Amino acid sequence: MATKFGGKQCRGLKTGIPERSPAPLHYVVVRHGEKGLEVLRIRLEGKGEVLPVFSAAWAARGYLFAEAPGGGWYVSTYTPGELISLLVGPCVGVEWVALDPRPGPRSGGEVANLMPRENFVDYLLGLTRPFSYFDGAISGLPKVEAHGRRGNH
């Protein structure tokens, strides 16, 4: 017999621990500057500073190649907790997050995967899916409340 740990059977005992998938890693373009860690940000008309975050290392490297100004920039891997720390530390002034943005010229409406930082934190904490907040990109999903949390729908 097997016990079930996280949905897996191991020696006949069963635990009440629910099975979880591993926390997703994300990738951010950074460099070490004179004042410590610098995080690459983009500016969007009407939105201000936006933090580009990537779900795949290859996408972050492609963006780095196309967009990073100057030298010393590299792709760094972040867990959800580390990304939240980044948002309350070096990126405290960033109000928007762009998930997997494409390089090139842009305006506020051209970044399809743009969400308020609070909604991105909800996604990192597992409270919601990232695509439920993309400014109507998917029809039929509940609207985001003004305070950044979903209401009871």
Side-chain angles (χ1 to χ4, degrees):
M1 288 207 168
T3 304
K4 189 170 186 174
F5 287 101
K8 296 180 181 158
Q9 201 71 19
C10 298
R11 305 211 188 247
L13 302 173
K14 186 175 180 180
T15 68
I17 301 170
E19 184 171 359
R20 290 186 185 199
S21 57
L25 296 176
H26 289 85
Y27 305 87
V28 177
V29 178
V30 299
R31 73 176 173 184
H32 292 286
E34 293 177 10
K35 297 180 181 179
L37 185 69
E38 290 182 39
V39 182
L40 182 69
R41 299 170 191 144
I42 56 178
R43 295 207 55 85
L44 290 180
E45 285 182 35
K47 301 288 186 193
E49 284 192 333
V50 177
L51 175 65
V53 177
F54 301 89
S55 56
W58 63 266
R61 284 190 299 271
Y63 193 87
L64 167 62
F65 179 74
E67 294 288 321
W73 296 95
Y74 61 95
V75 173
S76 186
T77 306
Y78 286 86
T79 65
E82 291 169 333
L83 261 177
I84 291 170
S85 294
L86 197 66
L87 286 167
V88 298
C91 297
V92 71
V94 172
E95 293 295 323
W96 296 90
V97 174
L99 187 58
D100 295 322
R102 293 184 179 166
R106 60 190 114 357
S107 66
E110 292 180 18
V111 180
N113 299 338
L114 185 66
M115 68 179 90
R117 68 182 277 139
E118 295 84 6
N119 296 355
F120 185 68
V121 170
D122 284 352
Y123 156 67
L124 292 173
L125 294 172
L127 300 175
T128 187
R129 297 171 297 140
F131 300 109
S132 63
Y133 290 118
F134 290 150
D135 291 341
I138 300 175
S139 61
L141 291 172
K143 296 284 183 197
V144 177
E145 300 295 330
H147 60 292
R149 306 275 190 230
R150 294 200 318 177
N152 294 330
H153 296 265

